[in-house]
């Protein structure tokens, strides 16, 4: 028997899978460009390839300058711009643990196609993956975060709930995956199942990485999530997998 306990609570607690936040929205509109010197003094990245200067908001978060890029890096320090919403969301043709349409069935088109290929290959290998949660809007994240703040207070909430704008699920490039054996829960014991094992070894072949690897909490800001897939394209995912890196390390955004 596998543990089936933590589930929804843990999903909320652990991750980028979790929802998030509030008080930044009041700061968003006050974002102002800062000088390269100021950014460097905070240890932040200034230029990433040819992308423009990134901004640091008054709440200390860096606003990503490339939210539409499939290689965008979003985490507790790096937020999507206010109002960002992917424009090419579709529902991938893969099994979900629920039937009705919910926004969380969606992913950006390129990621959705790749996910279909990944699921087909897994099925061929005898693995029955089930999709659980993909895209999540800023507004939904904000509502959940604010509800948590009401119940737990802001300080406690920030320990387990991402602020709106900082969840990778808002990019439309992430999908949480589980299985019937897991009773469709999101739990670290997924890694010990046949499906979790297959995913760890083959996700990169289809353009995905396990976004929050074991033992990299201090870099990603999240504990191990063997169920959270992030699409970055096959070339990058293969390099990242082969070098056992996080997105932060690969793209040069380490703390
Ligand atoms: Zn997730």
């Amino acid at each position: 028997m596998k543990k089936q306990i933590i589930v929804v609570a843990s999903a909320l607690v652990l991750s980028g899978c979790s929802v998030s936040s509030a008080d930044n929205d009041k700061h968003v509109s006050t974002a102002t460009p800062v000088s390269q010197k100021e950014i460097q003094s905070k240890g932040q990245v200034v230029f990433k390839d040819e992308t423009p200067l990134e901004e640091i908001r008054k709440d200390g978060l860096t606003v990503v300058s490339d939210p539409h890029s499939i290689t965008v890096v979003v985490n507790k320090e790096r937020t999507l711009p206010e109002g960002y919403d992917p424009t090419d969301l579709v529902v991938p043709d893969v099994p979900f643990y629920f039937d009705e349409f919910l926004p969380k069935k969606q992913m950006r088109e390129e990621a959705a196609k790749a996910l279909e290929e990944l699921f087909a290959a897994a099925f061929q290998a005898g693995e029955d993956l089930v999709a659980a949660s993909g895209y999540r809007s800023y507004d939904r994240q904000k509502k959940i975060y604010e509800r948590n703040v009401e119940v737990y207070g802001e300080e406690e909430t920030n320990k387990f709930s991402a602020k709106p704008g900082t969840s990778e699920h808002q990019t439309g490039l992430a999908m949480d995956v589980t299985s019937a054996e897991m009773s469709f829960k999101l739990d670290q014991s997924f890694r010990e199942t046949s499906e979790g094992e297959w995913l760890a070894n083959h996700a990169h072949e289809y353009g995905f990485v396990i976004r929050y690897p074991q033992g990299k909490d201090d870099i990603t800001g999240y504990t191990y999530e063997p169920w959270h897939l992030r699409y970055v394209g096959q070339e990058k995912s293969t390099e990242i997998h082969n070098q056992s890196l996080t997105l932060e390390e690969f793209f040069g955004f380490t703390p």
Side-chain angles (χ1 to χ4, degrees), residues 15-18 133 136 169 174-176 186 212 225 227-229:
S15 121
C17 307
S18 73
S133 186
R136 187 183 303 138
H169 283 275
M175 181 63 77
D176 296 329
L186 306 179
Y212 307 113
E225 294 191 0
W227 62 82
H228 179 111
L229 294 178

Side-chain angles (χ1 to χ4, degrees), residues 93-142:
D93 185 14
V94 301
F96 282 83
Y97 74 88
F98 54 93
D99 292 329
E100 70 273 30
F101 171 79
L102 290 174
K104 68 179 181 179
K105 274 193 169 179
Q106 302 170 103
M107 295 187 87
R108 290 185 58 191
E109 194 167 9
E110 182 178 338
K113 281 184 185 166
L115 190 76
E116 290 171 358
E117 291 175 15
L118 180 150
F119 269 62
F123 185 74
Q124 285 288 317
E127 310 298 347
D128 291 321
L129 295 175
V130 177
S133 186
Y135 165 74
R136 187 183 303 138
S137 74
Y138 181 96
D139 287 344
R140 169 135 180 81
Q141 189 89 350
K142 186 165 181 285

Side-chain angles (χ1 to χ4, degrees), residues 15 34 40-41 50 86 88 92 116-117 137 145 148 152 164 166 173 177 193 199 203 210 218 230 235-236 246:
S15 121
V34 293
Q40 285 174 333
S41 71
E50 69 287 350
D88 56 350
E116 290 171 358
E117 291 175 15
S137 74
Y145 178 88
N148 282 329
Y152 302 104
T166 69
L173 297 169
V177 170
T193 68
L199 212 53
I210 306 296
D218 55 337
R230 160 64 196 272
E235 187 183 331
K236 296 272 191 306
T246 59

